[in-house]
Amino acid sequence: MFVHLDLPWMAHPFFTSSFKIRTRKQLETLMQLDLGRVRVDLARSDPEPEDLPADDEPEGDGDAEARDQLRADLEASLWEEKNARIRVLKERRKRLNLCAKRYRQSVVLARKLMSHLRSAPAQAAEEADALVSQMVEDLTADHEATVQLVNLKSQDENTYHHAINVMALALVLGRKLKLDRENLRLLGLGALFHDLGLQRIPSQILHKKGDWNKPERALYEQHPRYGVEIAQTIGTLPDAVIEVIGQHHEHLDGSGYPDGLSGKALGALTRIVSVVNRYDNLCNGTYSGRGLSPHQAVSSMYTKDRARYDPRVLTTLITNLGVYPPGTVVRLEDERVAVVISINPDDLLRPNVLVYSPEIPSDQALILDLSEEEGAIRESLHQSELTEDIIEYLNLSDKLSYYVQSSPAKGR
């Protein structure tokens, strides 16, 4: 049976207050709780009852004390399991909070160095190199570094968030594509500065509500050229970085802009940035568009736009973001709603998720590794299908942010 316990989360030894009874240990412990009734969800219970695995229990009327001791031991073992999992949960949340803090710091640094581009270009280039080098160091220090979702409510500085998102995703792909440290540094700089030319696009166009008209779009499509001009005046950015700035909207099939370049004319670093730039724009919305879910974005790029991108790079993106990329809202097999916060490199179908559990305070929300929990995802959901309570609890917003996070040591 699938049961609901009308008790506070810390008033019982089970990890959640809603679950299917699978073992006699769970049943015996449930019977010891101070409950006048237990709610049962028949729709989520097994249609046919099954015999629960038998535990070793003393038999006979004279063994009442022994049975009571056994039941106490069973409850104690469940509390031990729950507390151990709570400790793991706290560690995961600590890592998530650290990731969010570092993301905020990176956005502040990006805003600062962009403000120095005109007045102190050499200083700006030096600050950018330090920012990129730190992320490259994180990547090379741990070959299992992954992309972590950092879902932040206040994202007024979209340009800087986009730059950090593209840099994080590009570096993860570059690492997976086995770029050396120097090329990773160049890739990171190119990704960070790829939209440099937007400084010359009027804000009324960038922030226009609704679609652009033809003249507005034509002006916007000149921003890669403007970016190259600005980069050249800085005087310290490498040619490979300037190439990325000028080509990040070009496509392998020649359908891009501003020059309609194709095939071998596109550099290796450009091919990476163009893919992740498109992915982040699809997720977070272009300046005149509305964002898709990460699951929809990956699907769209693969089914509709595959000819535009280097197949090796696109495949690497999809492989390393998983079937359910960070930011995807999902329904689990047990009907709970969750948001994917990071991938599981060993099992792309079972990522790490933050679960909507209204009986648990949102600041202590469960972060589960579905491979450890033997859980699975039933389907992905669109935010429009969610209640306001779920959106608020999961801290969902219209914008998604990503950051490189090193994987914990095995067995942790």
Side-chain angles (χ1 to χ4, degrees):
M1 288 183 171
F2 193 98
V3 298
H4 299 275
L5 308 184
D6 296 318
L7 287 172
W9 187 52
M10 289 306 295
H12 61 78
F14 302 103
F15 201 54
T16 65
S17 297
S18 302
F19 58 94
K20 183 182 290 187
I21 299 174
R22 300 183 185 276
T23 68
R24 188 166 296 277
K25 179 167 66 173
Q26 291 174 315
L27 181 60
E28 293 287 352
T29 304
L30 185 61
M31 293 169 64
Q32 303 305 309
L33 298 179
D34 186 19
L35 284 171
R37 65 177 185 175
V38 174
R39 289 187 293 128
V40 175
D41 187 340
L42 295 178
R44 295 161 69 181
S45 301
D46 292 336
E48 296 293 335
E50 298 180 4
D51 291 333
L52 294 176
D55 294 317
D56 293 331
E57 183 172 340
E59 298 180 359
D61 295 337
D63 293 324
E65 183 177 343
R67 284 197 299 273
D68 289 342
Q69 182 60 48
L70 178 60
R71 288 170 179 169
D73 291 343
L74 289 174
E75 182 174 354
S77 69
L78 277 178
W79 271 113
E80 184 178 346
E81 291 175 13
K82 181 171 184 174
N83 288 327
R85 294 172 79 184
I86 289 174
R87 288 192 292 271
V88 172
L89 172 63
K90 288 182 177 179
E91 179 61 27
R92 285 177 180 159
R93 181 160 295 282
K94 178 181 176 182
R95 289 165 54 77
L96 177 60
N97 290 339
L98 177 61
C99 193
K101 178 181 178 182
R102 292 178 63 190
Y103 183 89
R104 292 187 181 95
Q105 292 172 340
S106 296
V107 170
V108 170
L109 289 173
R111 183 183 67 243
K112 179 181 176 183
L113 69 90
M114 292 296 182
S115 70
H116 290 159
L117 279 174
R118 295 184 183 277
S119 60
Q123 179 183 346
E126 185 176 322
E127 290 169 344
D129 197 60
L131 175 58
V132 172
S133 295
Q134 180 57 57
M135 194 175 289
V136 170
E137 182 62 33
D138 290 343
L139 278 166
T140 53
D142 185 342
H143 72 280
E144 289 187 355
T146 62
V147 173
Q148 172 77 53
L149 169 70
V150 183
N151 208 342
L152 305 175
K153 284 289 186 181
S154 58
Q155 294 196 347
D156 298 328
E157 300 167 311
N158 185 62
T159 298
Y160 307 119
H161 286 88
H162 176 64
I164 299 300
N165 286 355
V166 173
M167 181 175 69
L169 293 170
L171 287 175
V172 169
L173 260 64
R175 183 68 177 81
K176 296 295 182 178
L177 292 166
K178 302 188 184 306
L179 296 186
D180 60 29
R181 187 183 291 262
E182 175 58 18
N183 275 306
L184 283 174
R185 186 183 73 86
L186 295 173
L187 175 64
L189 287 171
L192 181 63
F193 286 121
H194 76 280
D195 272 339
L196 198 56
L198 292 180
Q199 295 180 10
R200 294 188 182 176
I201 305 300
S203 60
Q204 60 265 34
I205 293 179
L206 292 181
H207 303 298
K208 179 181 178 180
K209 302 296 183 182
D211 295 334
W212 291 316
N213 58 36
K214 286 186 178 180
E216 289 169 339
R217 176 162 289 282
L219 179 59
Y220 173 81
E221 290 183 355
Q222 292 303 307
H223 79 265
R225 281 202 181 99
Y226 298 152
V228 169
E229 293 172 5
I230 296 172
Q232 289 173 337
T233 62
I234 293 174
T236 57
L237 294 179
D239 291 340
V241 174
I242 296 176
E243 180 180 280
V244 170
I245 294 171
Q247 296 183 359
H248 70 277
H249 279 293
E250 302 287 0
H251 296 150
L252 210 63
D253 62 0
S255 64
Y257 60 83
D259 297 314
L261 301 178
S262 63
K264 294 181 179 179
L266 303 183
L269 303 186
T270 296
R271 295 177 183 219
I272 297 173
V273 173
S274 66
V275 167
V276 298
N277 178 59
R278 177 59 174 166
Y279 174 76
D280 191 62
N281 278 332
L282 284 174
C283 288
N284 288 320
T286 60
Y287 287 94
S288 63
R290 183 182 177 186
L292 304 177
S293 73
H295 186 72
Q296 291 171 326
V298 166
S299 177
S300 175
M301 291 181 70
Y302 187 76
T303 59
K304 298 179 181 178
D305 303 328
R306 190 165 46 196
R308 295 180 176 183
Y309 307 111
D310 185 312
R312 183 165 172 249
V313 176
L314 183 59
T315 299
T316 302
L317 174 79
I318 294 172
T319 300
N320 287 279
L321 286 182
V323 179
Y324 304 101
T328 303
V329 181
V330 298
R331 191 188 309 280
L332 306 179
E333 282 190 339
D334 62 7
E335 297 295 335
R336 287 183 293 178
V337 175
V339 60
V340 177
I341 60 169
S342 63
I343 62 173
N344 182 348
D346 297 324
D347 191 342
L348 298 179
L349 289 172
R350 289 181 168 82
N352 300 308
V353 299
L354 187 148
V355 182
Y356 172 65
S357 303
E359 73 274 13
I360 303 173
S362 58
D363 61 350
Q364 301 175 31
L366 300 177
I367 300 175
L368 302 180
D369 180 340
L370 292 182
S371 64
E372 293 178 357
E373 302 299 323
E374 297 183 354
I377 292 172
R378 174 181 294 181
E379 61 182 341
S380 63
L381 300 172
H382 192 274
Q383 189 163 319
S384 61
E385 301 176 69
L386 308 177
T387 66
E388 287 298 322
D389 286 343
I390 295 176
I391 292 172
E392 186 64 29
Y393 186 96
L394 297 179
N395 193 34
L396 301 178
S397 67
D398 293 334
K399 300 292 184 183
L400 299 176
S401 304
Y402 303 92
Y403 201 77
V404 174
Q405 181 191 44
S406 297
S407 300
K410 293 293 184 182
R412 188 170 169 180

